[in-house]
Amino acid sequence: MRPLGEVKVTPPIYDADKGEEWIHRGGRTSEPGRSSIQIECPFCQAQFTAYIWSITGGGKKCPDCGAMHVGSGMAYPMMKS
Ligand SMILES: [Zn+2]
């Protein structure tokens, strides 16, 4: 199994070799307690909202293809098994 660099949560179901940067589509980080951003998945182009604490914590899964988006700005697709 290959490590995912600084990513803390590394379940082996994600493909570290195929990481791509996710796309920031705006968001609001000024509201206290509601710091969320709009993300576009680089693999399936789905757009969804993620809380900052979520993405810098365990990461945020794409609701469509299941790719994991993490705080380093990278997204990792699920392993094809
Ligand atoms: Zn996706």
Side-chain angles (χ1 to χ4, degrees):
M1 195 199 317
R2 296 166 61 93
L4 282 179
E6 73 266 53
V7 181
K8 292 179 193 145
V9 179
T10 58
I13 59 170
Y14 299 106
D15 196 335
D17 289 332
K18 297 201 173 71
E20 289 195 33
E21 290 184 33
W22 49 260
I23 301 141
H24 187 193
R25 290 296 185 192
R28 29 183 212 290
T29 55
S30 53
E31 295 174 51
R34 285 190 55 83
S35 300
S36 60
I37 55 173
Q38 196 73 17
I39 285 175
E40 181 177 315
C41 175
F43 304 109
C44 72
Q45 282 73 53
Q47 291 193 22
F48 55 95
T49 301
Y51 289 104
I52 303 294
W53 56 258
S54 171
I55 208 160
T56 55
K60 175 73 178 180
K61 276 173 74 172
C62 173
D64 205 344
C65 70
M68 182 60 78
H69 298 60
V70 299
S72 63
M74 298 295 287
Y76 299 96
M78 294 191 82
M79 282 277 191
K80 303 272 197 303
S81 56

